[in-house]
Amino acid sequence: MRDIASCLGEYAIQVSETTSCSSYSGHACISPTLTPSVQNSVTSLYKITSSTQNHILIKITWSRTHVAQGLTINFGDEPSSSAFKLNMNSRLFRKKKGNKAFDFDDSKIEVFWDLSTANYRTGPEPVDGFYLLIIVDSELGLSLGDMAEEFAAKKLKSGTPNAKLSLISRTEHYSGNTLYSTNARFSDTGVSHEILIRCSGEEEGLRNPVLSVFVDKKKVIRVKRLQWNFRGNQTIFVDGLLVDLLWDVHDWFFNPASGIAVFMFRTRSGLDSRLWLEEKLVKKEQDSVEFSLLIYACKNP
């Protein structure tokens, strides 16, 4: 008897075997007439496991508005459990480099950061020229930025152990047009993949809208008559993993005041045939290292 993963594989889409993005029509992946949307915030949820098997959830949020750009760090699964916030544009708070120590539950936590030379592209998340380190009970829990390794070598004690780190989920918020581009890794040891979500009409615009999703410039789904197929799911294979791709664009058509669509990529094992809803993510993630990418897309600026 074959396992569930092999059976599902007959109906799932292989990224490596998917036809290239230009094969369905004469249009390229990104139309020159369609301006990419603006990324407003990025939230990454990490699970840290210390050598004593103590588990801590850390949420890192990079955000940007017309007047401010900031960083928020939360510990635990309660929204109000913020350690601190940094507003890089505030006249009252310009401390772009520093450290902070505090207690959380039964753990001692230290945060070190330097954003004074951080470089940003089009999104709120810095790409280089920065570091962010979080020490949990004298173990290195999280290390972000191209300058993190150098700082750790200079400031941390020799032989500082590394706690186990897993990226549980990544949530991105966009506004503007119906073209969304990002990158994601679907496992801790996997490679980064380019993801492009595009909604346009058969002949451009939003008349007879069509939803197309690309992974590494390969088209993995194409949904016609999107105003009637506004919710759905498709299973794809990425890096040998089953990935559930779900979309809900109902509000784009029937609730224009909100106008928010949700796209979700979630890895699962062959034995896990259920599709998990957003409100179940945190509870599930506490006992799992599966990864979820959530994209909230608003057509309004």
Side-chain angles (χ1 to χ4, degrees), residues 145-185:
D146 59 314
M147 297 166 53
E149 185 175 351
E150 180 181 358
F151 172 81
K154 292 181 179 180
K155 299 296 183 180
L156 300 185
K157 295 180 180 179
S158 177
T160 298
N162 293 326
K164 182 180 178 181
L165 175 69
S166 296
L167 176 59
I168 299 299
S169 67
R170 181 177 170 91
T171 303
E172 305 182 6
H173 289 257
Y174 291 83
S175 63
N177 223 319
T178 53
L179 177 65
Y180 313 98
S181 177
T182 188
N183 292 276
R185 293 194 311 167

Side-chain angles (χ1 to χ4, degrees), residues 247-259:
W247 66 92
D248 183 347
V249 298
H250 173 274
D251 286 2
W252 274 1
F253 301 101
F254 305 106
N255 188 9
S258 168

Side-chain angles (χ1 to χ4, degrees), residues 39 72 99 113 173 214-215:
Q39 189 182 67
T72 302
N99 64 281
W113 71 92
H173 289 257
F214 305 86
V215 177

Side-chain angles (χ1 to χ4, degrees), residues 25-221:
S25 68
H27 301 307
C29 289
I30 302 179
S31 168
T33 62
L34 193 58
T35 303
S37 57
V38 177
Q39 189 182 67
N40 301 315
S41 70
V42 177
T43 299
S44 297
L45 179 64
Y46 298 91
K47 180 180 179 180
I48 292 177
T49 304
S50 67
S51 58
T52 59
Q53 298 304 306
N54 184 29
H55 303 286
I56 294 181
L57 293 178
I58 299 180
K59 185 182 295 184
I60 307 293
T61 299
W62 305 91
S63 59
R64 182 176 64 182
T65 65
H66 296 295
V67 296
Q69 187 159 5
L71 165 66
T72 302
I73 302 179
N74 298 78
F75 292 86
D77 54 7
E78 295 297 328
S80 60
S81 59
S82 299
F84 60 90
K85 298 181 180 181
L86 303 180
N87 184 348
M88 273 71 81
N89 298 91
S90 173
R91 293 182 178 179
L92 300 177
F93 188 82
R94 293 183 176 273
K95 193 175 182 182
K96 297 183 180 181
K97 180 179 180 179
N99 64 281
K100 182 176 181 179
F102 54 92
D103 294 331
F104 174 76
D105 286 346
D106 296 326
S107 297
K108 293 188 178 298
I109 295 176
E110 293 180 276
V111 181
F112 300 88
W113 71 92
D114 185 355
L115 303 173
S116 58
T117 60
N119 296 313
Y120 302 84
R121 291 178 183 167
T122 58
E125 192 174 21
V127 293
D128 56 38
F130 79 103
Y131 65 75
L132 173 64
L133 283 83
I134 298 180
I135 310 298
V136 179
D137 293 330
S138 301
E139 297 181 20
L140 179 57
L142 180 63
S143 176
L144 300 177
D146 59 314
M147 297 166 53
E149 185 175 351
E150 180 181 358
F151 172 81
K154 292 181 179 180
K155 299 296 183 180
L156 300 185
K157 295 180 180 179
S158 177
T160 298
N162 293 326
K164 182 180 178 181
L165 175 69
S166 296
L167 176 59
I168 299 299
S169 67
R170 181 177 170 91
T171 303
E172 305 182 6
H173 289 257
Y174 291 83
S175 63
N177 223 319
T178 53
L179 177 65
Y180 313 98
S181 177
T182 188
N183 292 276
R185 293 194 311 167
F186 293 96
S187 67
D188 291 338
T189 58
V191 298
S192 179
H193 294 277
E194 179 185 358
I195 296 174
L196 182 73
I197 300 173
R198 175 186 173 188
C199 180
S200 63
E202 297 270 17
E203 302 297 332
E204 299 300 332
L206 279 178
R207 185 176 182 180
N208 301 319
V210 175
L211 173 66
S212 300
V213 179
F214 305 86
V215 177
D216 295 334
K217 297 183 172 60
K218 298 179 183 295
K219 185 175 288 187
V220 295
I221 68 164

